[in-house]
Structures are given as structure tokens and as C-alpha cells.
Amino acid sequence: MIRTSRQKTRQQLHGRVLLICTLLASAVLCPQRALAGFDKEQLAGFEVTELKGTVSEALAKEKVIEIVDPEGHTEVYTVGLDLEPLGLEPGDEVSLSVLDGLLVDLEPSDDQDLSFSREDIILPSDMGKLKKGMRVALASGTGRVIKLDRQDGSLSLMGPFGGINNLDVLVTPENDPLKDLNVGDLVDFRLVQPVAVDVRKLSRSLSRPSALRPPLASDLLRSGMTLKAELLESFEITHLHAIVTRLLPDQKVLEIEGPEGHNILVTSAVDLNSLKLSPGTEISMDILDGLVVDLRPATSKALSFERQDVEIAGDFGPVPKGTRVAMATGSAEVVRISRTDRTLSLRGPFGKVHNLDVSKRMPGMVFDELALGDLVEFRFIKPVAIRITPLASR
């Protein structure tokens, strides 16, 4: 995963600002204010994500932990348990169970300036997956939409410090906050920030991410391959802003830097030559997220990766006949799991992390029994761009 020094500095600043806000925030509020406008039904919308990280700072008394996640992002979490017994220090590797950030109020904003306000509380009673005595951070303000997934009910907001909040959204038959929302919109929000409900100290890993970069392209196999139509129900379309970092128009392959600093290889159902893109071009795009179609415990301890490009023999939903699609196989380490929305992050031999959806047709037992640190053999379809719009041309 590659990020510019400016992005690193910006994200570290965001983490430090949130950390300072946590220390200055009120620790206990009266029970009448403890819900802060959130009811138990809303809080039941939380999803649990398991992930690995490296501690950059741990404040046991304040129940706050700052970690660098598998993709190199600095994240700050309030913690719902006693950190003292763990004796965490910078550099320690940990696995966490995190209640993902939950957005409970969203509307178009009349403000043109981004803002962020944070308030910490101690819960006076159990609220769904949040338990009595847990420290919870509540936030409100104005943010910019930089990533949107209507099918998954999630979006990413950028705040005034440049940090990214990845959030689940409460969608009901009466209210769908994402219905008329577009990437780039400014919105007023109210949310519960991510909460770590379990922290486990790990032994130091001897492996270090490789500085090598995965291949941008491979030889095209004209196999007349046809993807199963049933896989379409597992694909999700994500709308996002990105920056082109590498480009092979004749092979319909590009590498983009996403809004969170991720570098992603994407095959394109769009003719890249007609767009006249170049490295550094800012684009708006819709992509079919990467999809895991085969997964099993690895028989080898060595990580591996092999890429194979094929042309689709027939129309596959929004992907037209003749589109070049990258299929990947190999073995990788599980570094993040979200069982509720069936997503998985795998770290391969290049040190790169792949964020992937898991096909709903895959036997549940295979996915449900996975644990952080497991080595798995995989087969997945890499992300496919179905719309690309250079922002400068709008």
C-alpha cells in the first residue's frame, strides 16, 4: 500500500486531534443525556469487524488506543474494556474486535466549511452490543462524501482534518439517507464512532510487508470464459473519487489511489484510450468491488499470488461482453473480517491488502470459521470499473 508523505501527515494529524479531543472530553454524563439522541434500535445496527494492527499509542486510564491498521492507516478507537492488564506499548501487535462507526443522522448541508465536534460518554446501561460502563465517542459536524455503497448501506466521509470516517448507515423503509446522495456532496452528520470491544495482544510478527509491487497486467488468456450469473447477486457497486497512479490503456488496466490512500488495481469495462487519462488525473468512478469466489485453508505456509486476465464471453450484468477481467489466485493472510456484511481483507506476498466481498453462494462454514492470522488459498475477481469520469471534464 502506497501513500504520499502528505497523506500520512494529514492522517496522523487527524488521529492526534481525535486523541486530544478524547482526553479533554467529559467522561460521564447524566443518564438522561447518555443516549445523546441515539436509541437502542439504532445502536443495534452496529457491525463487528475483526482486524489486526500495530499500537502507536495506548492510554489505559482514558481507555483510548491508537493503532496503525493493516493498510497503514492511523486509527483511534475508544475501548470498552480495561486496558491496564494488557500493558500495551508502542510497537505491540494486537487484534481487535471493533463495532464499526454507525451513522444515525444525515442530511444535505447548507454549509461550505467542513466541521467536526466530538463528545465522550460512559454508558449507564446496556444498549445492544454496547454494554454498561463502556466509553463511547459521539460526533457531529459537516463532512464530504468520498465513497458510497448503496447496496451495502455504507459511506465514507472526509472531515476538516483530512481524516476518513468509514461508516455503516441506518436505512429503513421510511428513511433512506443514501437515496439522493452523490460522491462529493457536503452533508451534516451525527454518528457513533468506532468502539473496540475486545483487544488481544499478539506475539511479534517476524514478517514485514514487502516493498515489491504486484504486477499491473498479465498475458491475456482468450479462453471464452463466462462468469456465472449467480455471482452478480454478490457484487456491490461502489461510487468513489480517486486519482490515477498507473495506466495501461491498451490492456484496459489502471491503478488508482482511493480516497483513503489505498492503491487498487482495476480492470476497466470502459475504453481508457477514449478518456485520455494520465497519472495524477482525478476521476469519479463506479466499480464492482473485488469478489472472493473460492476460499479454503492453505496447505502451504508461503504466501503466493498469481494473476490471470481473461475476456468475458458474454454480457455479465453491467460488464459488457469482451471486457478484460483479472482473476487472482494464491495464498494470503487474513487481516480483517466483517462477518455481518461478508467482507474480508487478505494480505499477500507483496504486503498489499486486498479488501474483498465474499460470494453469498460460498458455503457459510468456510467463511464463518475463519480467524485473524489464518492462511488461506483464494480465488477472486479483482475490481472492475464500469464508469470513469475525469473530474476536470465535468
Side-chain angles (χ1 to χ4, degrees), residues 72-148:
H73 296 166
T74 298
E75 303 283 355
V76 176
Y77 296 108
T78 51
V79 181
L81 68 151
D82 185 6
L83 284 174
E84 288 281 2
L86 294 177
L88 296 176
E89 297 180 353
D92 285 342
E93 292 193 3
V94 293
S95 65
L96 292 85
S97 298
V98 175
L99 293 177
D100 292 340
L102 180 66
L103 192 71
V104 297
D105 195 13
L106 185 72
E107 58 185 24
S109 179
D110 294 327
D111 294 330
Q112 295 303 309
D113 295 325
L114 304 183
S115 64
F116 183 89
S117 177
R118 173 178 167 131
E119 178 182 46
D120 283 19
I121 64 171
I122 300 297
L123 296 181
S125 62
D126 292 352
M127 296 181 188
K129 297 171 185 175
L130 301 177
K131 304 304 178 183
K132 179 179 179 179
M134 282 187 178
R135 187 186 189 114
V136 176
L138 312 174
S140 59
T142 301
R144 186 183 303 277
V145 178
I146 57 170
K147 186 176 180 181
L148 181 62

Side-chain angles (χ1 to χ4, degrees), residues 224-253:
M225 173 189 169
T226 301
L227 297 179
K228 294 181 180 179
E230 306 92 85
L231 289 177
L232 276 175
E233 68 183 37
S234 295
F235 268 112
E236 295 180 353
I237 298 178
T238 297
H239 316 274
L240 54 81
H241 280 178
I243 298 174
V244 176
T245 55
R246 290 195 289 168
L247 195 65
L248 289 179
D250 292 338
Q251 299 192 51
K252 295 188 177 179
V253 178

Side-chain angles (χ1 to χ4, degrees), residues 185-352:
D185 286 352
L186 291 176
V187 293
D188 293 328
F189 63 84
R190 195 160 55 99
L191 60 92
V192 183
Q193 291 198 283
V195 182
V197 294
D198 194 12
V199 180
R200 301 164 294 278
K201 189 174 180 178
L202 305 174
S203 58
R204 296 270 179 131
S205 174
L206 297 179
S207 63
R208 291 289 179 265
S210 169
L212 298 175
R213 304 176 81 182
L216 187 62
S218 69
D219 292 336
L220 178 64
L221 299 180
R222 302 189 182 277
S223 61
M225 173 189 169
T226 301
L227 297 179
K228 294 181 180 179
E230 306 92 85
L231 289 177
L232 276 175
E233 68 183 37
S234 295
F235 268 112
E236 295 180 353
I237 298 178
T238 297
H239 316 274
L240 54 81
H241 280 178
I243 298 174
V244 176
T245 55
R246 290 195 289 168
L247 195 65
L248 289 179
D250 292 338
Q251 299 192 51
K252 295 188 177 179
V253 178
L254 71 160
E255 183 183 62
I256 61 168
E257 181 183 286
E260 301 165 70
H262 303 174
N263 280 67
I264 310 167
L265 290 177
V266 180
T267 54
S268 178
V270 180
D271 181 5
L272 297 177
N273 284 306
S274 67
L275 296 176
K276 298 180 180 179
L277 301 176
S278 61
T281 302
E282 293 189 19
I283 57 176
S284 171
M285 65 189 310
D286 294 346
I287 64 173
L288 292 178
D289 291 339
L291 179 66
V292 176
V293 294
D294 195 17
L295 196 66
R296 60 174 63 90
T299 56
S300 171
K301 298 299 182 183
L303 302 183
S304 63
F305 182 90
E306 182 178 345
R307 172 180 169 140
Q308 195 175 76
D309 285 13
V310 298
E311 283 188 351
I312 301 300
D315 291 348
F316 183 70
V319 181
K321 176 182 178 180
T323 296
R324 186 177 185 131
V325 173
M327 304 289 293
T329 59
S331 58
E333 178 191 5
V334 178
V335 293
R336 188 191 301 261
I337 307 171
S338 180
R339 302 188 196 280
T340 307
D341 60 6
R342 295 182 66 84
T343 60
L344 188 68
S345 295
L346 300 177
R347 177 157 49 203
F350 304 109
K352 186 175 179 60

